[in-house]
Amino acid sequence: MLYYSLNKQAPNVDFKEATIRGLAPDKGLYFPDHIPLLPEDFIKDIVSYSKEEVALQVIQPYVGDTIPAKELDEIISDTINFDFPLVKVDENKYSLELYHGPTLAFKDVGARFMSRCLGFFAKEKKEKVVVLVATSGDTGGAVANGFYDVDGVEVVILYPSGKVSSVQEKQLTTLGKNIHALEVEGNFDDCQQLVKQAFGDNELNEIVVLTSANSINVARWLPQQFYYFFAYRQWKEITPPVISVPSGNFGNICAGILAHISGLPVKHFIAGCNANDVIPSYLQAGIFEAKQAVSTLSNAMDVGNPSNFIRILEIFNNELGDLKNILTSYSISDEETISTIKQVYDQQDYLLDPHGAVAYCALQKYLEQHRGEKGIFLETAHPVKFPACVEQALNKTIDIPESIAHIMHLEKRATVMAPDYNFLKDYLLKM
Ligand SMILES: *Cc1c(COP(=O)(O)O)cnc(C)c1O
């Protein structure tokens, strides 16, 4: 498998090169030169495969021969060594709980897979690699945790000051060692802009081997397909599911659509967005207009210019009509998010986090128009990571699980910076 740049001005590369580079030299996102078709029998008999076997079958064609079979097996079993339960919430909706990983966020899978691949490649290369990542919330913790203490890899995380929850902030500022947090006085788009600028800076890139751990990196983006196969493995209904994905940068849902093109039965995809409604507006009016991100309760999705959407367009050769046949998107307000959390808790005794609530609410809207269909929404974070929001909805506090309680007492260590590129460049040069 080779990867080409969506800007079409850079050479094709294999999985190893694409993972190390993150972004192509022409600043385009890498995209696979074909989408593999999975054997029909594999899909039909999916329940008879272990989740490791499923994951291997899905990711092997994308990795090609850049990682030997034995190492890839180990990377996979290490990456997914927790549960991905599908839980029935009400008559026509199931929750795919993706928050049972070490940082209680779905991004654990992508971050763990990528860190282990990069660790393998860095060993071969014998050169220090600096992972540079902007986070709107959960990426930081998952990346910090996934890369912690990996030899030969330094991690620099930019996050918007005051715009991530206290648990999230602790997760990315308390580890130390090879994990460095930069607290940017700005919003997520500022952070993302700084990171993009660093990757585009030839002078810097000649001195430092920089790579990204955002979902633009193929090694983070592609393993997200696993979720959709794991969901289908547990799906007992007769007709294929409608799948609703809480979306910000659109990496996760793009992976889902890729899985579907590879043969996974899915009736329809729903992208649940918060007030950052670039894609819902685009699908309605046909005009793509990037905006400033606005702050919402589902802050990991506060993205004004979703960087992975261009990959979704590529899958459909930019045919908006074809895309609309498979994808519908809704913008859900904070008020709806709160009332959804409350309603689902009161009526079904199921606690949603604000991101899962957006996906649930979007799925609900779709199913109201499509009676008889059933769906899955992705629960991408544990509700305890957003205590203020959940307390606002339910008027009660929730307990922090043992597994993360201890970090709340650790000391935050971060370097505060204005959204100024020169500061970042200096910092990276001095590492
Ligand atoms: C990152 C994130 C999302 C959005 O995923 P994208 O791939 O950026 O669309 C949704 N929910 C949570 C909890 C997240 O951390």
Side-chain angles (χ1 to χ4, degrees):
M1 172 83 72
L2 289 177
Y3 296 81
Y4 61 92
S5 162
L6 290 182
N7 286 351
K8 316 263 162 78
Q9 304 293 320
N12 292 359
V13 296
D14 63 8
F15 178 77
K16 171 179 172 177
E17 233 3 75
T19 298
I20 294 175
R21 285 181 176 278
L23 215 55
D26 63 358
K27 303 182 179 63
L29 273 64
Y30 281 117
F31 195 85
D33 68 357
H34 68 281
I35 300 176
L37 256 193
L38 290 162
E40 267 174 47
D41 284 351
F42 167 71
I43 303 286
K44 210 166 88 232
D45 302 330
I46 195 159
V47 287
S48 66
Y49 292 89
S50 70
K51 68 182 196 300
E52 287 79 10
E53 287 168 333
V54 170
L56 180 65
Q57 177 81 251
V58 170
I59 206 72
Q60 216 301 310
Y62 289 99
V63 173
D65 58 7
T66 61
I67 302 177
K70 183 173 153 288
E71 276 79 4
L72 187 57
D73 274 346
E74 281 170 15
I75 290 174
I76 286 172
S77 52
D78 223 24
T79 298
I80 55 172
N81 66 352
F82 44 86
D83 292 333
F84 302 83
L86 186 69
V87 176
K88 186 162 187 173
V89 173
D90 57 32
E91 196 39 46
N92 54 8
K93 295 182 220 61
Y94 292 76
S95 171
L96 182 68
E97 295 182 352
L98 300 178
Y99 56 71
H100 296 280
T103 73
L104 310 182
F106 89 98
K107 291 191 173 75
D108 280 328
V109 164
R112 286 158 78 79
F113 186 78
M114 178 186 165
S115 67
R116 282 149 182 82
C117 291
L118 202 61
F120 176 79
F121 296 142
K123 236 190 317 186
E124 287 187 326
K125 218 177 154 80
K126 298 199 182 73
E127 208 178 344
K128 187 171 83 180
V129 179
V130 177
V131 171
L132 185 61
V133 57
T135 181
S136 57
D138 274 356
T139 306
V143 168
N145 189 285
F147 282 84
Y148 180 63
D149 225 6
V150 172
D151 267 352
V153 183
E154 296 289 325
V155 178
V156 177
I157 299 170
L158 285 76
Y159 72 97
S161 183
K163 297 203 167 62
V164 302
S165 77
S166 54
V167 175
Q168 288 177 330
E169 185 170 46
K170 288 285 184 185
Q171 284 181 331
L172 50 98
T173 59
T174 58
L175 284 170
K177 277 203 178 167
N178 60 330
I179 311 296
H180 315 275
L182 294 178
E183 179 175 355
V184 177
E185 294 166 322
N187 60 25
F188 172 64
D189 288 335
D190 294 324
C191 298
Q192 188 147 275
Q193 189 52 42
L194 288 165
V195 167
K196 276 191 186 146
Q197 221 171 326
F199 286 116
D201 183 337
N202 294 337
E203 190 190 46
L204 175 67
N205 283 270
E206 275 178 18
I207 306 168
V208 186
V209 185
L210 270 190
T211 191
S212 101
N214 279 106
S215 54
I216 53 172
N217 193 301
V218 296
R220 262 206 55 201
W221 168 50
L222 294 168
Q224 299 180 89
Q225 294 179 87
F226 301 163
Y227 311 137
Y228 300 85
F229 289 91
F230 295 167
Y232 192 67
R233 239 173 115 242
Q234 302 173 70
W235 185 249
K236 304 263 174 7
E237 304 285 350
I238 299 154
T239 55
V242 174
I243 301 187
S244 178
V245 185
S247 295
N249 252 325
F250 279 70
N252 190 4
I253 194 167
C254 183
I257 294 172
L258 211 57
H260 175 56
I261 306 279
S262 288
L264 187 77
V266 178
K267 191 81 191 245
H268 199 75
F269 283 96
I270 312 292
C273 296
N274 56 31
N276 294 284
D277 63 352
V278 174
I279 302 308
S281 306
Y282 172 66
L283 291 179
Q284 257 190 7
I287 301 163
F288 189 98
E289 203 179 345
K291 296 179 186 164
Q292 280 283 329
V294 297
S295 296
T296 73
L297 295 173
S298 46
N299 64 30
M301 315 195 307
D302 292 349
V303 182
N305 188 6
S307 52
N308 268 294
F309 194 71
I310 189 170
R311 283 182 167 141
I312 296 183
L313 290 174
E314 184 74 4
I315 295 175
F316 294 95
N317 288 319
N318 290 295
E319 293 290 338
L320 187 57
D322 293 348
L323 173 57
K324 278 159 81 166
N325 284 336
I326 188 74
L327 177 67
T328 302
S329 188
Y330 297 95
S331 167
I332 307 297
S333 68
D334 275 356
E335 292 72 36
E336 288 174 293
T337 305
I338 290 285
S339 65
T340 300
I341 293 175
K342 185 165 166 35
Q343 179 210 318
V344 174
Y345 186 75
D346 288 346
Q347 293 175 8
Q348 315 298 336
D349 202 18
Y350 190 83
L351 185 54
L352 296 165
D353 97 293
H355 304 80
V358 166
Y360 178 99
C361 187
L363 179 59
Q364 170 109 314
K365 284 182 197 278
Y366 182 84
L367 293 180
E368 276 165 10
Q369 307 292 317
H370 298 80
R371 298 271 171 204
E373 291 183 8
K374 299 193 177 191
I376 295 169
F377 63 94
L378 272 48
E379 234 314 358
T380 45
H382 194 293
V384 78
K385 298 185 83 177
F386 304 91
C389 170
V390 176
E391 281 160 26
Q392 187 186 339
L394 305 181
N395 247 328
K396 70 185 206 88
T397 55
I398 46 174
D399 297 332
I400 295 184
E402 201 83 21
S403 63
I404 58 165
H406 69 280
I407 67 163
M408 298 311 285
H409 307 294
L410 299 179
E411 191 192 337
K412 160 184 163 183
R413 264 183 258 143
T415 304
V416 180
M417 64 174 279
D420 166 21
Y421 178 63
N422 288 323
F423 182 95
L424 176 63
K425 182 169 181 172
D426 257 13
Y427 184 91
L428 294 170
L429 286 170
K430 287 193 190 117
M431 287 192 71

